[in-house]
Amino acid sequence: MTPLYQIVHVETGRPYDVVIEGGVLGRAADYLAPLARNGRIVVIADANVVAPHLATLTGSLEAEGLRVEPIVVPSGEASKNWRQLEALTDRLLALEIERGEAIVALGGGVIGDLTGFAAAIVKRGCKFVQVPTTLLAQVDSSVGGKTAINTAAGKNLIGAFYQPELVLIDPEVLDTLPPRELRAGYAEVVKYGLIDDPAFFDWCEANGAALLNGDMAARVHAIATSVAAKARIVAADERETTGTRALLNLGHTFGHALEAETGFSDRLLHGEGVAAGMALAFRFSVSRGLCAATDSERVSAHLAEVGLPTGARPATNASGETLAAHMAHDKKREGGDVPLLLARGIGQTFLAKGIDLSEVAAFLNADDA
Ligand code: NAD
Ligand code: GLY
């Protein structure tokens, strides 16, 4: 049984800890007070998170005599743009932020990516702390140092590798997250089992529903296991140069094509695209004779059981050729080749190169899920 308090150490160029603890938001001062300067902490908060959670964080800091400078950012993917970045960096400079002063990101992946990038460039680098409030951000985006904004050319194309000083994860804040967002984040949890930890996939099959229904011990176990897996992979390949970190993209190339086709809209959340993409990657692996059909069926059955999509439909009826054309623009593209994350079984994901996208298009046309 996992204790309700866990620390995972991330051994990057500049190492840091990820603290996972129920209720830690209300004790945040224990961790943040040493990072305060001039008696204050600057908090960049998602507008939707302000009402349910900002006062808890502020209360803890004020009890230690610290002042909070909140900067509220509109919720949603659209905030990861040049305009919000400029507005945020202008506010930070107006506050005369110091390099040694930690900027706190309170929100999901949108706020973490935007704040992390602002922290990377203001005064050529300020300290920052991630306080992720979505399951997706708690198990993935808050750890590993990828920060970015979107432009007309695509998602996450402008950014920096910039590690946080600390990550504080309170699984209790997930109680206010809409169930659909919670499920979407759970797809990234399942991903770690599918990459290289079949025992964790077994655990997900047995405990995923309890986690989604609010079981705190299950949440802490899933978050700690996911963060430990991500920490291990990021430590091995911090800047995604050897192919190891690319394993974290399981399901993302298929999923990204579905997200692009649905306009990166509420029709398909990122985690839903990842779930559909993982199921497609397994079925495509079966079609190439790489993976047993029983493993692929287990993956789809578990995702479907918790209410996640397992194929292109119903999000889109686009043809295989249209989806493959989106895949051709993948960030991992190298010399015209789009490497794909495929599987030899549950927990046996690998990076496959030299796959003809016309084969993928034909597979997608024949796939009816
Ligand atoms: P998000 O930040 O948009 O949050 C999802 C929704 O939940 C938003 O409406 C938000 O306002 C709301 N919300 C957040 N916390 C809440 C809470 N506790 N209670 C109620 N509502 C809450 O989305 P996300 O899924 O967290 O993150 C997606 C972003 O993360 C994308 O931009 C993606 O590119 C990025 N990402 C980055 C990495 C990385 O390694 N840096 C990895 C994966 C995804
Ligand atoms: N979410 C993919 C990565 O951090 O590399």
Side-chain angles (χ1 to χ4, degrees), residues 46-49 52-53 75-77 80 107-113 132-137 140-148 150 155-156 173-178 181 184-185 188 230 245 252 270-271:
D46 180 302
N48 281 342
V49 172
H53 302 300
S75 305
E77 189 67 30
K80 275 176 55 173
V110 164
I111 297 302
D113 280 11
T133 62
T134 64
L135 183 57
L136 181 137
D140 188 359
S141 63
S142 65
V143 179
K146 280 190 181 175
T147 72
N150 309 323
K155 269 192 70 168
N156 297 327
V173 301
L174 301 179
D175 287 344
T176 60
L177 194 63
E181 294 285 355
E188 302 277 8
K230 180 145 188 189
R245 187 163 181 164
H252 284 59
H270 173 70

mmCIF file of all heavy atoms in Angstrom, residues 46-49 52-53 75-77 80 107-113 132-137 140-148 150 155-156 173-178 181 184-185 188 230 245 252 270-271, ligand 1:
data_model
loop_
_atom_site.group_PDB
_atom_site.id
_atom_site.type_symbol
_atom_site.label_atom_id
_atom_site.label_comp_id
_atom_site.label_asym_id
_atom_site.label_seq_id
_atom_site.Cartn_x
_atom_site.Cartn_y
_atom_site.Cartn_z
ATOM 1 N N ASP A 46 -4.713 29.884 -13.026
ATOM 2 C CA ASP A 46 -5.767 29.669 -14.019
ATOM 3 C C ASP A 46 -7.079 30.267 -13.462
ATOM 4 O O ASP A 46 -7.422 30.052 -12.288
ATOM 5 C CB ASP A 46 -5.915 28.150 -14.227
ATOM 6 C CG ASP A 46 -6.986 27.775 -15.232
ATOM 7 O OD1 ASP A 46 -8.156 28.159 -15.040
ATOM 8 O OD2 ASP A 46 -6.639 27.069 -16.187
ATOM 9 N N ALA A 47 -7.805 31.007 -14.299
ATOM 10 C CA ALA A 47 -9.026 31.685 -13.831
ATOM 11 C C ALA A 47 -10.014 30.698 -13.185
ATOM 12 O O ALA A 47 -10.670 31.038 -12.205
ATOM 13 C CB ALA A 47 -9.691 32.416 -14.997
ATOM 14 N N ASN A 48 -10.094 29.472 -13.714
ATOM 15 C CA ASN A 48 -11.046 28.492 -13.153
ATOM 16 C C ASN A 48 -10.591 27.942 -11.803
ATOM 17 O O ASN A 48 -11.366 27.314 -11.093
ATOM 18 C CB ASN A 48 -11.201 27.291 -14.099
ATOM 19 C CG ASN A 48 -12.109 27.583 -15.263
ATOM 20 O OD1 ASN A 48 -12.891 28.528 -15.220
ATOM 21 N ND2 ASN A 48 -11.989 26.778 -16.318
ATOM 22 N N VAL A 49 -9.320 28.118 -11.477
ATOM 23 C CA VAL A 49 -8.762 27.525 -10.257
ATOM 24 C C VAL A 49 -8.809 28.529 -9.092
ATOM 25 O O VAL A 49 -8.703 28.157 -7.930
ATOM 26 C CB VAL A 49 -7.321 27.031 -10.555
ATOM 27 C CG1 VAL A 49 -6.608 26.594 -9.311
ATOM 28 C CG2 VAL A 49 -7.371 25.887 -11.571
ATOM 29 N N PRO A 52 -11.906 27.836 -6.466
ATOM 30 C CA PRO A 52 -11.812 26.664 -5.579
ATOM 31 C C PRO A 52 -10.506 26.550 -4.797
ATOM 32 O O PRO A 52 -10.495 25.937 -3.732
ATOM 33 C CB PRO A 52 -11.980 25.468 -6.525
ATOM 34 C CG PRO A 52 -11.628 25.955 -7.882
ATOM 35 C CD PRO A 52 -11.936 27.424 -7.906
ATOM 36 N N HIS A 53 -9.394 27.115 -5.280
ATOM 37 C CA HIS A 53 -8.111 26.745 -4.662
ATOM 38 C C HIS A 53 -7.141 27.870 -4.286
ATOM 39 O O HIS A 53 -6.250 27.648 -3.466
ATOM 40 C CB HIS A 53 -7.366 25.751 -5.573
ATOM 41 C CG HIS A 53 -8.150 24.516 -5.844
ATOM 42 N ND1 HIS A 53 -8.556 23.663 -4.833
ATOM 43 C CD2 HIS A 53 -8.665 23.999 -6.988
ATOM 44 C CE1 HIS A 53 -9.258 22.672 -5.357
ATOM 45 N NE2 HIS A 53 -9.337 22.856 -6.661
ATOM 46 N N SER A 75 -8.587 30.818 -18.601
ATOM 47 C CA SER A 75 -8.485 29.365 -18.771
ATOM 48 C C SER A 75 -8.489 29.005 -20.245
ATOM 49 O O SER A 75 -9.087 29.710 -21.059
ATOM 50 C CB SER A 75 -9.687 28.685 -18.123
ATOM 51 O OG SER A 75 -9.780 29.075 -16.775
ATOM 52 N N GLY A 76 -7.845 27.902 -20.556
ATOM 53 C CA GLY A 76 -7.969 27.344 -21.912
ATOM 54 C C GLY A 76 -6.700 27.448 -22.734
ATOM 55 O O GLY A 76 -5.849 28.311 -22.517
ATOM 56 N N GLU A 77 -6.623 26.540 -23.703
ATOM 57 C CA GLU A 77 -5.450 26.414 -24.577
ATOM 58 C C GLU A 77 -5.086 27.733 -25.260
ATOM 59 O O GLU A 77 -3.908 28.011 -25.511
ATOM 60 C CB GLU A 77 -5.758 25.321 -25.618
ATOM 61 C CG GLU A 77 -4.619 24.890 -26.490
ATOM 62 C CD GLU A 77 -3.499 24.157 -25.749
ATOM 63 O OE1 GLU A 77 -3.772 23.487 -24.730
ATOM 64 O OE2 GLU A 77 -2.333 24.277 -26.192
ATOM 65 N N LYS A 80 -2.098 29.947 -24.298
ATOM 66 C CA LYS A 80 -0.688 29.636 -24.593
ATOM 67 C C LYS A 80 -0.300 30.351 -25.890
ATOM 68 O O LYS A 80 -0.037 29.713 -26.904
ATOM 69 C CB LYS A 80 -0.494 28.117 -24.732
ATOM 70 C CG LYS A 80 -0.261 27.412 -23.401
ATOM 71 C CD LYS A 80 -0.159 25.912 -23.529
ATOM 72 C CE LYS A 80 0.866 25.396 -24.485
ATOM 73 N NZ LYS A 80 1.010 23.920 -24.425
ATOM 74 N N GLY A 107 -2.271 25.681 -11.778
ATOM 75 C CA GLY A 107 -3.232 25.364 -12.825
ATOM 76 C C GLY A 107 -2.838 24.090 -13.537
ATOM 77 O O GLY A 107 -1.963 23.343 -13.064
ATOM 78 N N GLY A 108 -3.460 23.860 -14.686
ATOM 79 C CA GLY A 108 -3.148 22.659 -15.467
ATOM 80 C C GLY A 108 -1.957 22.885 -16.386
ATOM 81 O O GLY A 108 -1.145 23.797 -16.169
ATOM 82 N N GLY A 109 -1.896 22.061 -17.436
ATOM 83 C CA GLY A 109 -0.758 22.131 -18.353
ATOM 84 C C GLY A 109 -0.654 23.471 -19.064
ATOM 85 O O GLY A 109 0.449 23.909 -19.400
ATOM 86 N N VAL A 110 -1.779 24.139 -19.290
ATOM 87 C CA VAL A 110 -1.737 25.430 -19.982
ATOM 88 C C VAL A 110 -0.956 26.438 -19.136
ATOM 89 O O VAL A 110 -0.031 27.098 -19.619
ATOM 90 C CB VAL A 110 -3.181 25.925 -20.264
ATOM 91 C CG1 VAL A 110 -3.192 27.402 -20.606
ATOM 92 C CG2 VAL A 110 -3.787 25.096 -21.393
ATOM 93 N N ILE A 111 -1.316 26.546 -17.868
ATOM 94 C CA ILE A 111 -0.654 27.525 -16.990
ATOM 95 C C ILE A 111 0.798 27.106 -16.750
ATOM 96 O O ILE A 111 1.707 27.947 -16.729
ATOM 97 C CB ILE A 111 -1.429 27.634 -15.650
ATOM 98 C CG1 ILE A 111 -2.838 28.156 -15.915
ATOM 99 C CG2 ILE A 111 -0.700 28.507 -14.630
ATOM 100 C CD1 ILE A 111 -2.920 29.502 -16.607
ATOM 101 N N GLY A 112 1.039 25.808 -16.569
ATOM 102 C CA GLY A 112 2.412 25.337 -16.333
ATOM 103 C C GLY A 112 3.313 25.621 -17.522
ATOM 104 O O GLY A 112 4.445 26.097 -17.355
ATOM 105 N N ASP A 113 2.817 25.353 -18.744
ATOM 106 C CA ASP A 113 3.643 25.576 -19.944
ATOM 107 C C ASP A 113 3.914 27.060 -20.157
ATOM 108 O O ASP A 113 5.030 27.466 -20.499
ATOM 109 C CB ASP A 113 2.934 25.016 -21.182
ATOM 110 C CG ASP A 113 3.105 23.502 -21.323
ATOM 111 O OD1 ASP A 113 3.577 22.855 -20.368
ATOM 112 O OD2 ASP A 113 2.761 22.963 -22.397
ATOM 113 N N PRO A 132 0.545 21.745 -9.981
ATOM 114 C CA PRO A 132 -0.407 21.313 -11.012
ATOM 115 C C PRO A 132 -1.768 20.943 -10.425
ATOM 116 O O PRO A 132 -1.841 20.280 -9.393
ATOM 117 C CB PRO A 132 0.284 20.095 -11.629
ATOM 118 C CG PRO A 132 1.190 19.579 -10.554
ATOM 119 C CD PRO A 132 1.625 20.760 -9.751
ATOM 120 N N THR A 133 -2.840 21.353 -11.119
ATOM 121 C CA THR A 133 -4.185 21.129 -10.573
ATOM 122 C C THR A 133 -5.049 20.225 -11.444
ATOM 123 O O THR A 133 -6.221 20.035 -11.150
ATOM 124 C CB THR A 133 -4.915 22.474 -10.359
ATOM 125 O OG1 THR A 133 -5.046 23.114 -11.641
ATOM 126 C CG2 THR A 133 -4.161 23.375 -9.398
ATOM 127 N N THR A 134 -4.497 19.703 -12.556
ATOM 128 C CA THR A 134 -5.226 18.682 -13.328
ATOM 129 C C THR A 134 -4.445 17.377 -13.209
ATOM 130 O O THR A 134 -3.234 17.387 -12.947
ATOM 131 C CB THR A 134 -5.344 19.046 -14.826
ATOM 132 O OG1 THR A 134 -4.027 19.086 -15.387
ATOM 133 C CG2 THR A 134 -6.033 20.375 -15.043
ATOM 134 N N LEU A 135 -5.136 16.255 -13.448
ATOM 135 C CA LEU A 135 -4.427 14.971 -13.382
ATOM 136 C C LEU A 135 -3.354 14.916 -14.471
ATOM 137 O O LEU A 135 -2.241 14.432 -14.251
ATOM 138 C CB LEU A 135 -5.425 13.807 -13.527
ATOM 139 C CG LEU A 135 -4.819 12.408 -13.409
ATOM 140 C CD1 LEU A 135 -4.080 12.208 -12.077
ATOM 141 C CD2 LEU A 135 -5.901 11.332 -13.571
ATOM 142 N N LEU A 136 -3.691 15.452 -15.660
ATOM 143 C CA LEU A 136 -2.706 15.433 -16.747
ATOM 144 C C LEU A 136 -1.436 16.183 -16.331
ATOM 145 O O LEU A 136 -0.319 15.714 -16.537
ATOM 146 C CB LEU A 136 -3.290 16.055 -18.017
ATOM 147 C CG LEU A 136 -2.329 16.056 -19.212
ATOM 148 C CD1 LEU A 136 -3.044 15.644 -20.486
ATOM 149 C CD2 LEU A 136 -1.650 17.403 -19.397
ATOM 150 N N ALA A 137 -1.614 17.341 -15.711
ATOM 151 C CA ALA A 137 -0.440 18.122 -15.312
ATOM 152 C C ALA A 137 0.301 17.438 -14.164
ATOM 153 O O ALA A 137 1.530 17.489 -14.092
ATOM 154 C CB ALA A 137 -0.873 19.533 -14.914
ATOM 155 N N ASP A 140 2.172 14.371 -15.810
ATOM 156 C CA ASP A 140 2.962 14.542 -17.026
ATOM 157 C C ASP A 140 3.574 15.933 -17.143
ATOM 158 O O ASP A 140 4.778 16.131 -16.929
ATOM 159 C CB ASP A 140 2.076 14.212 -18.256
ATOM 160 C CG ASP A 140 2.857 14.172 -19.559
ATOM 161 O OD1 ASP A 140 4.068 14.420 -19.548
ATOM 162 O OD2 ASP A 140 2.256 13.890 -20.621
ATOM 163 N N SER A 141 2.735 16.956 -17.436
ATOM 164 C CA SER A 141 3.323 18.216 -17.906
ATOM 165 C C SER A 141 4.109 18.992 -16.860
ATOM 166 O O SER A 141 4.976 19.787 -17.213
ATOM 167 C CB SER A 141 2.236 19.107 -18.518
ATOM 168 O OG SER A 141 1.271 19.468 -17.564
ATOM 169 N N SER A 142 3.835 18.784 -15.556
ATOM 170 C CA SER A 142 4.548 19.581 -14.540
ATOM 171 C C SER A 142 5.965 19.063 -14.305
ATOM 172 O O SER A 142 6.783 19.733 -13.670
ATOM 173 C CB SER A 142 3.769 19.577 -13.220
ATOM 174 O OG SER A 142 3.725 18.268 -12.676
ATOM 175 N N VAL A 143 6.251 17.872 -14.793
ATOM 176 C CA VAL A 143 7.561 17.237 -14.547
ATOM 177 C C VAL A 143 8.311 17.122 -15.872
ATOM 178 O O VAL A 143 7.722 16.736 -16.882
ATOM 179 C CB VAL A 143 7.365 15.824 -13.945
ATOM 180 C CG1 VAL A 143 8.699 15.129 -13.707
ATOM 181 C CG2 VAL A 143 6.575 15.916 -12.647
ATOM 182 N N GLY A 144 9.581 17.465 -15.884
ATOM 183 C CA GLY A 144 10.384 17.209 -17.087
ATOM 184 C C GLY A 144 10.845 18.440 -17.814
ATOM 185 O O GLY A 144 11.714 18.351 -18.675
ATOM 186 N N GLY A 145 10.245 19.611 -17.499
ATOM 187 C CA GLY A 145 10.824 20.860 -17.982
ATOM 188 C C GLY A 145 10.482 21.280 -19.389
ATOM 189 O O GLY A 145 11.105 22.194 -19.919
ATOM 190 N N LYS A 146 9.494 20.641 -20.037
ATOM 191 C CA LYS A 146 9.090 21.170 -21.345
ATOM 192 C C LYS A 146 8.140 22.337 -21.105
ATOM 193 O O LYS A 146 7.147 22.189 -20.391
ATOM 194 C CB LYS A 146 8.384 20.098 -22.181
ATOM 195 C CG LYS A 146 9.335 19.130 -22.850
ATOM 196 C CD LYS A 146 8.588 18.258 -23.843
ATOM 197 C CE LYS A 146 9.523 17.269 -24.515
ATOM 198 N NZ LYS A 146 8.791 16.332 -25.397
ATOM 199 N N THR A 147 8.455 23.486 -21.700
ATOM 200 C CA THR A 147 7.581 24.658 -21.582
ATOM 201 C C THR A 147 7.337 25.172 -22.994
ATOM 202 O O THR A 147 8.202 25.007 -23.856
ATOM 203 C CB THR A 147 8.243 25.781 -20.765
ATOM 204 O OG1 THR A 147 9.288 26.372 -21.552
ATOM 205 C CG2 THR A 147 8.824 25.266 -19.452
ATOM 206 N N ALA A 148 6.182 25.762 -23.253
ATOM 207 C CA ALA A 148 5.919 26.188 -24.634
ATOM 208 C C ALA A 148 4.658 27.022 -24.755
ATOM 209 O O ALA A 148 3.797 27.017 -23.873
ATOM 210 C CB ALA A 148 5.775 24.955 -25.539
ATOM 211 N N ASN A 150 1.820 28.149 -28.222
ATOM 212 C CA ASN A 150 1.409 27.759 -29.570
ATOM 213 C C ASN A 150 1.505 28.973 -30.504
ATOM 214 O O ASN A 150 1.407 30.116 -30.052
ATOM 215 C CB ASN A 150 -0.046 27.272 -29.554
ATOM 216 C CG ASN A 150 -0.289 26.215 -28.491
ATOM 217 O OD1 ASN A 150 0.570 25.369 -28.246
ATOM 218 N ND2 ASN A 150 -1.446 26.260 -27.834
ATOM 219 N N LYS A 155 1.077 23.670 -32.473
ATOM 220 C CA LYS A 155 1.118 23.619 -30.994
ATOM 221 C C LYS A 155 2.527 23.415 -30.474
ATOM 222 O O LYS A 155 3.290 22.610 -31.030
ATOM 223 C CB LYS A 155 0.259 22.439 -30.508
ATOM 224 C CG LYS A 155 -1.188 22.824 -30.223
ATOM 225 C CD LYS A 155 -1.913 21.706 -29.480
ATOM 226 C CE LYS A 155 -1.404 21.546 -28.058
ATOM 227 N NZ LYS A 155 -2.230 20.687 -27.221
ATOM 228 N N ASN A 156 2.862 24.113 -29.409
ATOM 229 C CA ASN A 156 4.113 23.889 -28.666
ATOM 230 C C ASN A 156 5.368 24.038 -29.534
ATOM 231 O O ASN A 156 6.367 23.370 -29.297
ATOM 232 C CB ASN A 156 4.128 22.489 -28.022
ATOM 233 C CG ASN A 156 3.032 22.332 -26.987
ATOM 234 O OD1 ASN A 156 2.666 23.294 -26.307
ATOM 235 N ND2 ASN A 156 2.504 21.124 -26.855
ATOM 236 N N VAL A 173 -6.915 18.474 -4.933
ATOM 237 C CA VAL A 173 -7.462 19.530 -5.804
ATOM 238 C C VAL A 173 -8.194 18.928 -6.997
ATOM 239 O O VAL A 173 -8.975 19.611 -7.662
ATOM 240 C CB VAL A 173 -6.384 20.533 -6.308
ATOM 241 C CG1 VAL A 173 -5.680 21.226 -5.154
ATOM 242 C CG2 VAL A 173 -5.389 19.875 -7.245
ATOM 243 N N LEU A 174 -7.964 17.643 -7.248
ATOM 244 C CA LEU A 174 -8.645 17.003 -8.386
ATOM 245 C C LEU A 174 -10.141 16.847 -8.133
ATOM 246 O O LEU A 174 -10.905 16.583 -9.065
ATOM 247 C CB LEU A 174 -8.014 15.635 -8.684
ATOM 248 C CG LEU A 174 -6.520 15.654 -9.032
ATOM 249 C CD1 LEU A 174 -6.009 14.247 -9.279
ATOM 250 C CD2 LEU A 174 -6.251 16.540 -10.248
ATOM 251 N N ASP A 175 -10.559 17.014 -6.870
ATOM 252 C CA ASP A 175 -11.990 16.874 -6.559
ATOM 253 C C ASP A 175 -12.846 17.882 -7.319
ATOM 254 O O ASP A 175 -14.039 17.642 -7.525
ATOM 255 C CB ASP A 175 -12.233 17.051 -5.049
ATOM 256 C CG ASP A 175 -11.734 15.840 -4.262
ATOM 257 O OD1 ASP A 175 -11.497 14.787 -4.897
ATOM 258 O OD2 ASP A 175 -11.563 15.960 -3.038
ATOM 259 N N THR A 176 -12.264 19.035 -7.687
ATOM 260 C CA THR A 176 -13.081 20.050 -8.385
ATOM 261 C C THR A 176 -12.915 19.982 -9.903
ATOM 262 O O THR A 176 -13.524 20.761 -10.623
ATOM 263 C CB THR A 176 -12.697 21.476 -7.909
ATOM 264 O OG1 THR A 176 -11.309 21.710 -8.204
ATOM 265 C CG2 THR A 176 -12.958 21.666 -6.432
ATOM 266 N N LEU A 177 -12.081 19.068 -10.357
ATOM 267 C CA LEU A 177 -11.837 18.957 -11.806
ATOM 268 C C LEU A 177 -13.041 18.299 -12.484
ATOM 269 O O LEU A 177 -13.535 17.285 -11.983
ATOM 270 C CB LEU A 177 -10.575 18.113 -12.018
ATOM 271 C CG LEU A 177 -9.934 18.119 -13.405
ATOM 272 C CD1 LEU A 177 -9.437 19.514 -13.773
ATOM 273 C CD2 LEU A 177 -8.765 17.121 -13.436
ATOM 274 N N PRO A 178 -13.514 18.844 -13.616
ATOM 275 C CA PRO A 178 -14.630 18.169 -14.309
ATOM 276 C C PRO A 178 -14.260 16.721 -14.627
ATOM 277 O O PRO A 178 -13.119 16.439 -15.026
ATOM 278 C CB PRO A 178 -14.794 18.992 -15.593
ATOM 279 C CG PRO A 178 -14.218 20.343 -15.268
ATOM 280 C CD PRO A 178 -13.100 20.080 -14.291
ATOM 281 N N GLU A 181 -12.271 15.930 -17.733
ATOM 282 C CA GLU A 181 -10.844 16.307 -17.685
ATOM 283 C C GLU A 181 -10.055 15.271 -16.878
ATOM 284 O O GLU A 181 -8.911 14.955 -17.206
ATOM 285 C CB GLU A 181 -10.676 17.699 -17.040
ATOM 286 C CG GLU A 181 -11.255 18.855 -17.831
ATOM 287 C CD GLU A 181 -10.396 19.247 -19.048
ATOM 288 O OE1 GLU A 181 -9.300 18.696 -19.232
ATOM 289 O OE2 GLU A 181 -10.866 20.102 -19.818
ATOM 290 N N ALA A 184 -9.512 12.299 -19.040
ATOM 291 C CA ALA A 184 -8.512 12.584 -20.085
ATOM 292 C C ALA A 184 -7.102 12.479 -19.485
ATOM 293 O O ALA A 184 -6.195 11.910 -20.104
ATOM 294 C CB ALA A 184 -8.759 13.971 -20.678
ATOM 295 N N GLY A 185 -6.933 12.985 -18.267
ATOM 296 C CA GLY A 185 -5.617 12.886 -17.614
ATOM 297 C C GLY A 185 -5.250 11.449 -17.314
ATOM 298 O O GLY A 185 -4.073 11.059 -17.361
ATOM 299 N N GLU A 188 -3.012 9.440 -19.631
ATOM 300 C CA GLU A 188 -1.550 9.575 -19.500
ATOM 301 C C GLU A 188 -1.022 8.645 -18.395
ATOM 302 O O GLU A 188 0.129 8.225 -18.444
ATOM 303 C CB GLU A 188 -1.161 11.030 -19.212
ATOM 304 C CG GLU A 188 -1.625 12.027 -20.262
ATOM 305 C CD GLU A 188 -0.713 12.139 -21.492
ATOM 306 O OE1 GLU A 188 0.236 11.333 -21.622
ATOM 307 O OE2 GLU A 188 -0.963 13.043 -22.317
ATOM 308 N N LYS A 230 8.125 9.004 -15.284
ATOM 309 C CA LYS A 230 8.533 10.145 -16.115
ATOM 310 C C LYS A 230 9.919 10.631 -15.694
ATOM 311 O O LYS A 230 10.761 10.949 -16.546
ATOM 312 C CB LYS A 230 7.504 11.279 -16.033
ATOM 313 C CG LYS A 230 7.945 12.450 -16.899
ATOM 314 C CD LYS A 230 6.857 13.209 -17.577
ATOM 315 C CE LYS A 230 7.481 14.224 -18.551
ATOM 316 N NZ LYS A 230 6.534 15.146 -19.119
ATOM 317 N N ARG A 245 13.209 9.619 -24.408
ATOM 318 C CA ARG A 245 12.099 10.494 -23.995
ATOM 319 C C ARG A 245 10.933 10.420 -24.988
ATOM 320 O O ARG A 245 9.785 10.639 -24.621
ATOM 321 C CB ARG A 245 12.588 11.939 -23.825
ATOM 322 C CG ARG A 245 11.511 12.836 -23.238
ATOM 323 C CD ARG A 245 12.026 14.144 -22.675
ATOM 324 N NE ARG A 245 10.915 14.900 -22.123
ATOM 325 C CZ ARG A 245 11.010 15.917 -21.299
ATOM 326 N NH1 ARG A 245 12.209 16.327 -20.914
ATOM 327 N NH2 ARG A 245 9.945 16.539 -20.846
ATOM 328 N N HIS A 252 0.628 9.673 -29.132
ATOM 329 C CA HIS A 252 0.522 11.105 -29.423
ATOM 330 C C HIS A 252 0.487 11.415 -30.921
ATOM 331 O O HIS A 252 -0.123 12.401 -31.316
ATOM 332 C CB HIS A 252 1.666 11.866 -28.745
ATOM 333 C CG HIS A 252 1.464 12.040 -27.265
ATOM 334 N ND1 HIS A 252 1.319 10.980 -26.400
ATOM 335 C CD2 HIS A 252 1.362 13.146 -26.492
ATOM 336 C CE1 HIS A 252 1.155 11.433 -25.166
ATOM 337 N NE2 HIS A 252 1.173 12.746 -25.202
ATOM 338 N N HIS A 270 -6.987 16.652 -25.225
ATOM 339 C CA HIS A 270 -5.674 16.065 -25.517
ATOM 340 C C HIS A 270 -5.571 14.622 -24.999
ATOM 341 O O HIS A 270 -5.173 13.712 -25.725
ATOM 342 C CB HIS A 270 -4.574 16.940 -24.917
ATOM 343 C CG HIS A 270 -3.205 16.346 -25.026
ATOM 344 N ND1 HIS A 270 -2.537 16.231 -26.227
ATOM 345 C CD2 HIS A 270 -2.382 15.805 -24.093
ATOM 346 C CE1 HIS A 270 -1.363 15.654 -26.027
ATOM 347 N NE2 HIS A 270 -1.241 15.386 -24.736
ATOM 348 N N GLY A 271 -5.969 14.395 -23.759
ATOM 349 C CA GLY A 271 -5.859 13.053 -23.179
ATOM 350 C C GLY A 271 -6.762 12.059 -23.891
ATOM 351 O O GLY A 271 -6.435 10.875 -24.010
HETATM 352 P P1 NAD B 1 -5.729 22.819 -18.925
HETATM 353 O O1 NAD B 1 -4.591 23.445 -18.261
HETATM 354 O O2 NAD B 1 -6.408 23.587 -20.016
HETATM 355 O O3 NAD B 1 -6.817 22.422 -17.823
HETATM 356 C C1 NAD B 1 -8.007 21.772 -18.233
HETATM 357 C C2 NAD B 1 -9.250 22.500 -17.712
HETATM 358 O O4 NAD B 1 -9.383 22.266 -16.318
HETATM 359 C C3 NAD B 1 -9.205 24.010 -17.889
HETATM 360 O O5 NAD B 1 -10.506 24.456 -18.217
HETATM 361 C C4 NAD B 1 -8.830 24.512 -16.491
HETATM 362 O O6 NAD B 1 -9.317 25.832 -16.275
HETATM 363 C C5 NAD B 1 -9.518 23.514 -15.611
HETATM 364 N N1 NAD B 1 -8.936 23.249 -14.286
HETATM 365 C C6 NAD B 1 -7.621 23.049 -13.998
HETATM 366 N N2 NAD B 1 -7.504 22.630 -12.723
HETATM 367 C C7 NAD B 1 -8.742 22.584 -12.196
HETATM 368 C C8 NAD B 1 -9.269 22.193 -10.926
HETATM 369 N N3 NAD B 1 -8.494 21.685 -9.969
HETATM 370 N N4 NAD B 1 -10.599 22.310 -10.728
HETATM 371 C C9 NAD B 1 -11.413 22.754 -11.741
HETATM 372 N N5 NAD B 1 -10.985 23.088 -12.967
HETATM 373 C C10 NAD B 1 -9.669 23.003 -13.182
HETATM 374 O O7 NAD B 1 -5.359 21.405 -19.571
HETATM 375 P P2 NAD B 1 -4.402 20.210 -19.131
HETATM 376 O O8 NAD B 1 -5.049 19.010 -19.671
HETATM 377 O O9 NAD B 1 -4.024 20.286 -17.710
HETATM 378 O O10 NAD B 1 -3.081 20.527 -19.953
HETATM 379 C C11 NAD B 1 -3.068 20.554 -21.355
HETATM 380 C C12 NAD B 1 -1.876 21.361 -21.800
HETATM 381 O O11 NAD B 1 -0.693 20.713 -21.316
HETATM 382 C C13 NAD B 1 -1.717 21.458 -23.301
HETATM 383 O O12 NAD B 1 -1.406 22.783 -23.632
HETATM 384 C C14 NAD B 1 -0.538 20.552 -23.606
HETATM 385 O O13 NAD B 1 0.203 20.993 -24.738
HETATM 386 C C15 NAD B 1 0.266 20.679 -22.344
HETATM 387 N N6 NAD B 1 1.160 19.551 -22.068
HETATM 388 C C16 NAD B 1 2.444 19.816 -21.760
HETATM 389 C C17 NAD B 1 3.298 18.794 -21.458
HETATM 390 C C18 NAD B 1 4.701 19.112 -21.046
HETATM 391 O O14 NAD B 1 5.499 18.169 -20.887
HETATM 392 N N7 NAD B 1 5.042 20.351 -20.825
HETATM 393 C C19 NAD B 1 2.859 17.459 -21.454
HETATM 394 C C20 NAD B 1 1.525 17.203 -21.760
HETATM 395 C C21 NAD B 1 0.672 18.260 -22.063
#
